[in-house]
Amino acid sequence: MSLRCAVAGLNRGAGFVRRFNANPHCEVVAVCDPRREKLAEQTEAEGFEDFARMLEKVAPDIVAIITPGPLHAPQSIAAMEAGAHVLVETPNVYSVEEAQAVVAAARRHDRKYMLSEDYIYMGWCVRLSEYIEDGALGEIIGGMAEYTHDCRPARPLTAVDETQAQAWRFTDLPPLAYSSHTLGPLLYLMDDRCVTVTGIAGGRREIAGVDVFPLETAILETEGGRTINLTNGFMLSHPFIWLAALYGTEGSVRVINTDYRDPDALQVLVSTDDDPQWRDWPMEWHTCDDDADHTQVLVNDFVDSVLIDSPPPFDEARSMDFCLPGVLAHESAREGGVKLEVPLF
Ligand SMILES: NC(=O)c1ccc[n+]([C@@H]2O[C@H](COP(=O)([O-])OP(=O)(O)OC[C@H]3O[C@@H](n4cnc5c(N)ncnc54)[C@H](O)[C@@H]3O)[C@@H](O)[C@H]2O)c1
């Protein structure tokens, strides 16, 4: 069986064209981007500048939505209403109302909907989940994470930047809305979900001509009685850094990544009661089996769920678990740090 796939948003999305075509059950028949030069790079698929027109004309089985964040929820709903299954980049929603509408559309139309949260598919996360399952850290009692870097525009924003659908790097979008790369792996490794969130943001500042909250922190309580604290900021004066910690009753782990393009820049440090000092995991534990491209594995898993009609690895409810608490953290911060409940789906 060959699934007819479409990819919207052809910057990062170009990699998804390649990965869907690399799956033996898929063919990318359509691509969508308002930028004609991006469409011109994809010679094998029919190009569309307009998303609704693409859905109407092609009626794809699967749509990968790799467009700027604020378009994700409306495009996901439109795609599912048109009968397609949806794989969507992070952040998948920016409000509780969007989350409710996306979940309702997935269920009403009986479509697979999955957040493309690739960090969970990275080699270290897969191995860490096996390590935790084996009980090496005892019971996990909490976690923390920071994801901060310098996305300041190198030049003042032009009207084109702003109208080009709110390019995610250069906006005043709340930093904690982009939290699935940290919260996703933590919740996955804890097998848990957040039930409350309290957010704190320092004041807004104008940085590089953009009016932003440069730094936000959230404290989250989980269903399993754990605590998580998250800090995000994307207009800061240092290069990419992503770090996460899990605290267990018999050991702890720290994962630190200082360059997302370089696997050697990742460190996994473990300490256990049996060996109470920080040990660096061997490099071969950082990568996927057979050195596989982790995002290809994610795409293949999603395709399998469509082919055999089983729930995707992160269904519509789980996808919301990874993004919505961060969105609510921003709401909480705006309300002066009031504790908010995270809705159940
Ligand atoms: N998982 C990760 O590690 C990771 C890394 C980078 C980006 N992302 C996410 O991927 C998404 C895309 O990131 P990017 O870096 O490619 O962003 P980008 O802003 O550079 O590119 C987005 C593309 O979408 C196109 N576009 C704009 N409006 C459109 C529309 N209505 N229909 C179709 N296409 C449209 C733009 O022309 C552009 O080519 C973002 O949501 C971002 O948060 C995830």
Side-chain angles (χ1 to χ4, degrees):
M1 178 183 179
S2 187
L3 295 167
R4 298 166 67 256
C5 304
V7 176
L10 293 174
N11 188 18
R12 179 171 169 78
F16 283 79
V17 174
R18 183 168 42 75
R19 291 180 180 105
F20 274 99
N21 277 331
N23 183 297
H25 304 289
C26 294
E27 185 191 350
V28 176
V29 294
V31 288
C32 174
D33 199 299
R35 289 196 285 169
R36 287 192 186 162
E37 69 275 21
K38 285 289 171 191
L39 293 176
E41 290 168 9
Q42 302 295 333
T43 51
E44 306 281 298
E46 193 176 353
F48 292 86
E49 288 172 52
D50 183 71
F51 188 74
R53 172 96 187 101
M54 179 190 75
L55 293 178
E56 191 190 356
K57 174 119 191 280
V58 179
D61 299 308
I62 291 178
V63 179
I65 297 174
I66 323 293
T67 52
L71 301 177
H72 291 174
Q75 288 185 332
S76 297
I77 293 168
M80 290 188 284
E81 281 175 350
H85 303 283
V86 166
L87 181 68
V88 59
E89 256 301 349
T90 191
N92 56 346
V93 291
Y94 283 98
S95 67
V96 172
E97 291 71 26
E98 279 194 349
Q100 285 165 335
V102 168
V103 169
R107 293 179 181 168
R108 189 167 56 245
H109 300 288
D110 192 20
R111 297 294 85 184
K112 316 283 177 209
Y113 169 90
M114 175 166 145
L115 175 70
S116 182
E117 183 33 72
D118 63 315
Y119 276 53
I120 295 174
Y121 274 82
M122 290 178 177
W124 61 265
C125 191
V126 174
R127 285 176 216 292
L128 202 47
S129 107
E130 293 160 0
Y131 190 72
I132 290 168
E133 220 160 88
D134 285 347
L137 303 180
E139 189 200 335
I140 303 298
I141 53 180
M144 65 78 88
E146 174 189 325
Y147 180 23
T148 53
H149 61 126
D150 185 359
C151 296
R152 292 172 298 177
R155 54 184 166 73
L157 292 187
T158 64
V160 174
D161 294 323
E162 278 164 13
T163 52
Q164 201 211 302
Q166 314 102 332
W168 69 278
R169 294 182 183 82
F170 302 154
T171 63
D172 62 350
L173 295 174
L176 274 171
Y178 201 91
S179 60
S180 72
H181 290 338
T182 47
L183 189 58
L186 287 177
L187 291 177
Y188 173 76
L189 292 168
M190 293 173 175
D191 191 19
D192 209 345
R193 61 179 292 278
C194 297
V195 289
T196 72
V197 53
T198 309
I200 301 163
R204 284 184 88 100
R205 282 183 169 72
E206 188 176 306
I207 295 185
V210 189
D211 184 24
V212 289
F213 287 105
L215 200 60
E216 282 187 324
T217 295
I219 298 171
L220 305 132
E221 292 173 308
T222 74
E223 204 165 52
R226 304 177 172 100
T227 58
I228 297 175
N229 61 300
L230 298 181
T231 294
N232 275 19
F234 301 118
M235 301 289 269
L236 301 173
S237 56
H238 62 240
F240 170 94
I241 188 160
W242 179 104
L243 56 97
L246 281 167
Y247 314 107
T249 52
E250 292 164 38
S252 280
V253 62
R254 297 270 188 287
V255 187
I256 304 163
N257 187 354
T258 50
D259 186 348
Y260 58 90
R261 291 156 302 205
D262 177 8
D264 290 339
L266 182 79
Q267 255 196 318
V268 183
L269 300 171
V270 179
S271 168
T272 62
D273 285 350
D274 291 340
D275 184 16
Q277 52 196 312
W278 290 109
R279 298 272 188 199
D280 208 341
W281 257 8
M283 268 321 288
E284 61 270 25
W285 292 9
H286 295 187
T287 49
C288 293
D289 286 343
D290 305 325
D291 238 356
D293 164 16
H294 69 280
T295 311
Q296 181 72 57
V297 182
L298 179 155
V299 166
N300 292 348
D301 276 4
F302 179 69
V303 170
D304 283 351
S305 81
V306 172
L307 283 172
I308 63 173
D309 193 16
S310 65
F314 321 129
D315 67 5
E316 66 278 1
R318 195 60 172 149
S319 297
M320 296 310 160
D321 285 350
F322 296 157
C323 279
L324 196 54
V327 170
L328 286 168
H330 183 71
E331 290 307 313
S332 162
R334 282 160 57 105
E335 291 174 34
V338 61
K339 191 193 271 193
L340 298 177
E341 282 185 17
V342 181
L344 259 179
F345 289 102

